[in-house]
Amino acid sequence: MADLEALLGDFAAECADLDRLVAPLAPADWARPTPASGWTIAHQIGHLAWTDELATIAIADSGGFQKLVADAGPRALTFVDEAAEEAAAAPPAELLDRWRHGRTTFTDALRAVPAGVKLPWFGPPLSAASMITARIMETWAHGQDVADALGVARTPTTRLRAVAHIGVRTRNFAYTVREKIPPRVEFLVELTAPDGAIWSWGPVDAIQRVVGPAVDFCLLVTQRRHPDDLAIEVHGEDAAEWLTIAQAFAGPTGKGRTAGQFA
């Protein structure tokens, strides 16, 4: 069983690392473009603040959250960008306060979720542990966009395990969202953690395998780097195809990054 408090601690640490990048920025620097087309640093933080707030609504008001999702249905391809644009229009200090307050309110609400309760979200309902794991993934991924905009190299941590876990668990989703049939065979995903440990998912005797550094796998499944620029070793046609479409995030398929973009 997942340790919820440990995951909450990882989420707090991931947020704090990103907070340290953006808090000292001059207001003009919040308008710096990031690798996500049309998104500035303010858009990235605004998106995280908005999503944490949505997660809190999902916890506190299941019906209200489901209505919100239904109302957004006709704007399925645009409502995320619209929310980020609206958030980014706020003064940076106000946006930073909004993000800080929202993530604290979210974690307090998640701690109060009874064991075994599933929470509505974009896609299948999530346990509290799965919800916080998803927030770790998104915070890390959007934090990468901010780091890239600032030209900062981040030090990988063992918090990447949460990102890698979602990357593996969403394998079939990546096919479904593209109206493809997922492979019937399981893959072995074997990753080297930042501390040298080996993390693995899937049967050890699987013929089709994905092997490499955990940070590279996380950059791939969050579409923050092109597969050609990563030290990922793949065995098997199905596994190779998966790496071209993998996405750890819900919603429409992403555009990803181009080969050599960060050389």
Side-chain angles (χ1 to χ4, degrees):
M1 181 177 293
D3 185 335
L4 182 60
E5 281 302 320
L7 290 169
L8 287 166
D10 282 350
F11 175 68
E14 200 62 52
C15 291
D17 273 0
L18 178 54
D19 199 311
R20 281 190 286 270
L21 285 182
V22 299
L25 295 178
D29 286 328
W30 284 72
R32 285 197 192 192
T34 69
S37 179
W39 280 34
T40 64
I41 290 175
H43 285 80
Q44 300 286 352
I45 299 303
H47 173 72
L48 291 176
W50 174 74
T51 314
D52 288 340
E53 290 164 0
L54 285 184
T56 303
I57 294 172
I59 295 167
D61 183 6
S62 174
F65 175 81
Q66 290 169 342
K67 183 179 185 304
L68 184 153
V69 173
D71 290 346
R75 298 159 27 243
L77 298 179
T78 62
F79 84 107
V80 172
D81 286 335
E82 290 166 3
E85 186 71 26
E86 181 180 353
E94 181 181 315
L95 178 55
L96 184 58
D97 284 346
R98 175 184 173 183
W99 177 44
R100 288 170 173 170
H101 174 75
R103 72 198 197 218
T104 298
T105 302
F106 161 63
T107 53
D108 288 346
L110 199 63
R111 280 191 173 94
V113 174
V117 170
K118 295 285 188 177
L119 305 168
W121 198 237
F122 301 95
L126 302 177
S127 66
S130 293
M131 176 70 84
I132 193 64
T133 300
R135 300 309 308 131
I136 293 170
M137 179 275 294
E138 264 222 297
T139 303
W140 181 83
H142 291 283
Q144 184 63 48
D145 292 331
V146 172
D148 287 335
L150 297 173
V152 174
R154 299 191 297 174
T155 301
T157 73
T158 55
R159 296 192 297 273
L160 288 174
R161 186 179 182 92
V163 183
H165 180 72
I166 287 191
V168 173
R169 292 292 299 272
T170 52
R171 187 199 77 164
N172 287 357
F173 169 76
Y175 286 89
T176 302
V177 76
R178 290 167 174 79
E179 298 183 345
K180 294 186 174 186
I181 299 175
R184 292 184 179 181
V185 298
E186 292 189 64
F187 306 156
L188 170 66
V189 177
E190 189 173 80
L191 307 175
T192 303
D195 62 1
I198 300 297
W199 299 335
S200 65
W201 293 262
V204 295
D205 59 348
I207 295 174
Q208 303 211 51
R209 292 172 288 140
V210 175
V211 181
V215 63
D216 282 22
F217 179 78
C218 292
L219 288 167
L220 187 148
V221 297
T222 57
Q223 297 186 2
R224 263 54 187 184
R225 291 294 186 272
H226 191 277
D228 289 353
D229 296 336
L230 301 171
I232 300 293
E233 181 182 339
V234 60
H235 303 269
E237 291 184 4
D238 292 330
E241 180 190 26
W242 173 45
L243 295 191
T244 67
I245 64 172
Q247 65 175 76
F249 50 89
T253 60
K255 295 180 180 179
R257 306 290 179 259
T258 58
Q261 183 174 350
F262 299 95

